[in-house]
Structures are given as structure tokens and as C-alpha cells.
Amino acid sequence: MHYVSAKGILSAKNGMNLYRGCSHGCIYCDSRSKCYHMEHRFEDIEVKENAVELLESALRRKRRKCMIGTGSMTDPYIPLEMELGHVRKALELIDVYGFGFTVITKSDRILRDLDLLRSINAKTKCVVQMTLTTCDEALCRKIEPNVSTTKERFEVLKILRDEGIPTVVWLSPILPFINDTPENISGIIDMCAKAKVWGVLCFGMGLTLREGNREYFYERLDGLFPGLKGKYMRRYGNRYGVESPRGGELMRLFHDKCEANGLIHNNDRIFAYLSEFPEARERQLTLWDME
């Protein structure tokens, strides 16, 4: 861990990263790619020491309320968060200032902040996005070694369902010759249906590999799945997009199962929902505050 002083915290689309780097150890992580210019070891978490102050300043200056997002580059619920509490402090500000919130995570540590997620959702909107890659617990521990297992994440989704907090699942990535099976896709969609998630995002049956994350991925394949690295290199070389040879079949299965279970599976519609701030509720709160 090391500290830096940041110049700003919110992106043009109101996303934020309180940390840079991650200790989850997912073998496929795109955030390791060199194009993101992370100048430190990935597991050496960069902490923006002034992030909370910057966020309060930004929220105070905003003319219109909106959804604030986090988790696109670094899972905010890394173990370090339980020590520092930056995410919780950010949630307290988002709650106080009346903004919406959405987060992408793979960790059941998010339940620590259930009280704040509940409060934000009651006032405006809170959407929790959870990544699910495999319904095989043993495989999950291999490809995502330092994070909550799929079963643990499924329990989080059910708790959020019971709390009335909407959820979205990222079915991504699908690793060729590892988790690209009909049984896996069906199993994940069945979990989504039981947890009554709002929608499921899927960008195809494959993954992306760039300089930085490709080397790490291949290194991990060598240790976890002997011989598979060579198969990848022969089939895909240095391609950016790595698609499963079963991609067409699996995508049809994905869409058919989502449709049969009433799950939204149109990516554009889901992203529109994630960014949409409930203006009607904002107006009601404003009128209430004026009385």
C-alpha cells in the first residue's frame, strides 16, 4: 500500500476509483494492462488519501443529482477497505447529498455497508453489480483466488433481493476451454433467476488480452492448467479478442435462458438503467425539503 494525493476524483461520467491496484488475484484482470499506465506493482494498492475530501467538494458543486459509480477499474471492496473505510465514507457523503450509487464488486464485504445501500436506495437509487464467472466453486478458487466464491456472491445477491436493492450481474469473462460450457452458462443464469437480478450483462463468450494482462494470464495458465497456455498461443496468438469456439452456441443459450426467466439481457438497456437517475424522486425530495 502507498498513498498519493489526487487532483480529482470523479470522471466525466461520474465514476470514481478510490484505489488503484487490487489484491483479488483474478487471473484474467484487464486492469493489469499497460495501457492504464499503472506505474506500481498491481498488488501494491495505491490509496488516494484525499479522495473523500475531493468527493465532497465535487458533490457540493454539482448542479444536478446523478448516479455515482465505482468499481470499473478496481474492486472497491478489497481487504484494505475494511481497514481504511474510504468506500464507506464515500457512501455516507453520497447518502447525505442525495445522489444515487452503483458499484461493481466480487466481494461479500459489501454487506458491511448494507445500511447505507438501503438508505441511498430509499431516497434515490442504488444498484449493486456483481461479477459471476463460474458456478464451479473449485474452479472459482483457481481463477479468482482471493475473493468471495460464486456461492458467497450468490448469497449477497439474495440478501440484496430481500432488501429491495436492484442488482445486475456481469457474466464475464468466459475463458475458452475453462468455463465456456453450457452447464456453466445455464448454472449462472439459474442463480440470477433465483436472486431476481434486474439484468445480466454479457459481452460475448470470451475475454480480452492486452500487453500486461496477457503475460500474467498466460503465466497463471501454466501453473493452473498445464498445457493450456500452448493451446491458447497456437489458436489466438497475440489477439486482443479471445473468443470461445463455442461462442455462437453459448450466446444463443444465454439469450434464450435470460428471456425464459424474464431477465433483461440487452447491454444498452442495462447501461441506460445504471446511469439513469430517478428525477421524479429527486423532485419529491426537493419539495419535501422546502416545506
Side-chain angles (χ1 to χ4, degrees):
M1 177 190 73
H2 65 280
Y3 288 93
V4 298
S5 181
K7 294 181 180 178
I9 191 62
L10 290 182
S11 70
K13 294 186 177 180
N14 299 305
M16 64 177 177
N17 284 299
L18 303 170
Y19 307 111
R20 293 191 78 207
C22 188
S23 53
H24 285 343
C26 303
I27 70 172
Y28 50 74
C29 183
D30 176 71
S31 295
R32 292 180 181 273
S33 301
K34 288 189 176 180
C35 64
Y36 300 120
H37 305 291
M38 202 171 292
E39 305 301 334
H40 54 88
R41 191 172 63 87
F42 193 68
E43 288 77 14
D44 177 18
I45 310 299
E46 179 180 286
V47 181
K48 299 176 182 178
E49 59 185 352
N50 58 336
V52 176
E53 292 79 9
L54 288 172
L55 178 62
E56 181 165 24
S57 177
L59 296 181
R60 193 187 302 118
R61 292 196 313 269
K62 278 191 173 292
R63 292 185 176 183
R64 292 181 65 85
K65 302 294 173 63
C66 62
M67 297 294 290
I68 305 295
T70 192
S72 61
M73 284 291 295
T74 295
D75 192 322
Y77 286 100
I78 51 178
L80 185 62
E81 164 58 21
M82 306 308 281
E83 175 187 338
L84 299 182
H86 284 196
V87 176
R88 184 164 182 86
K89 292 170 187 173
L91 282 172
E92 289 170 346
L93 290 173
I94 290 167
D95 186 34
V96 166
Y97 283 93
F99 284 75
F101 180 68
T102 185
V103 58
I104 307 171
T105 186
K106 297 175 187 164
S107 178
D108 61 5
R109 295 185 187 93
I110 192 172
L111 293 178
R112 178 202 64 181
D113 296 330
L114 185 57
D115 58 330
L116 289 168
L117 303 178
R118 188 190 299 120
S119 179
I120 292 168
N121 194 53
K123 295 175 183 175
T124 57
K125 183 170 106 180
C126 176
V127 186
V128 174
Q129 304 171 60
M130 187 75 73
T131 301
L132 300 180
T133 57
T134 176
C135 50
D136 182 325
E137 289 287 282
L139 180 59
C140 180
R141 291 186 186 280
K142 282 186 174 183
I143 65 176
E144 300 159 342
N146 305 322
V147 70
S148 302
T149 66
T150 302
K151 183 179 179 181
E152 290 166 340
R153 290 177 233 171
F154 179 45
E155 292 303 315
V156 172
L157 289 170
K158 290 191 291 183
I159 290 169
L160 295 171
R161 172 202 64 196
D162 294 343
E163 292 285 347
I165 296 171
T167 56
V168 165
V169 161
W170 290 63
L171 201 167
S172 174
I174 299 300
L175 312 178
F177 317 115
I178 297 176
N179 63 339
D180 59 336
T181 67
E183 294 77 16
N184 186 49
I185 303 306
S186 291
I188 291 173
I189 299 304
D190 287 343
M191 287 181 175
C192 293
K194 289 175 183 175
K196 297 188 183 327
V197 307
W198 192 89
V200 185
L201 285 162
C202 182
F203 303 92
M205 297 296 161
L207 76 158
T208 59
L209 293 176
R210 294 188 263 210
E211 185 181 6
N213 81 311
R214 180 187 294 109
E215 291 78 5
Y216 185 80
F217 179 67
Y218 280 168
E219 177 188 326
R220 300 306 297 144
L221 285 187
D222 257 347
L224 295 169
F225 308 98
L228 192 53
K229 173 185 173 181
K231 189 173 183 177
Y232 264 76
M233 294 183 74
R234 288 190 298 272
R235 185 178 183 94
Y236 303 112
N238 288 327
R239 290 186 203 169
Y240 167 67
V242 175
E243 292 293 326
S244 166
R246 311 175 76 174
E249 166 199 352
L250 296 177
M251 283 305 293
R252 286 190 293 274
L253 174 64
F254 164 73
H255 287 300
D256 288 347
K257 286 219 58 160
C258 285
E259 195 69 26
N261 285 283
L263 302 171
I264 305 300
H265 52 106
N266 179 292
N267 290 353
D268 290 340
R269 183 176 174 190
I270 295 172
F271 280 122
Y273 170 71
L274 290 172
S275 62
E276 180 184 23
F277 185 78
E279 296 287 347
R281 252 190 286 182
E282 180 189 12
R283 286 195 294 272
Q284 290 170 6
L285 284 171
T286 303
L287 288 171
W288 177 263
D289 290 340
M290 289 171 62
E291 291 177 353

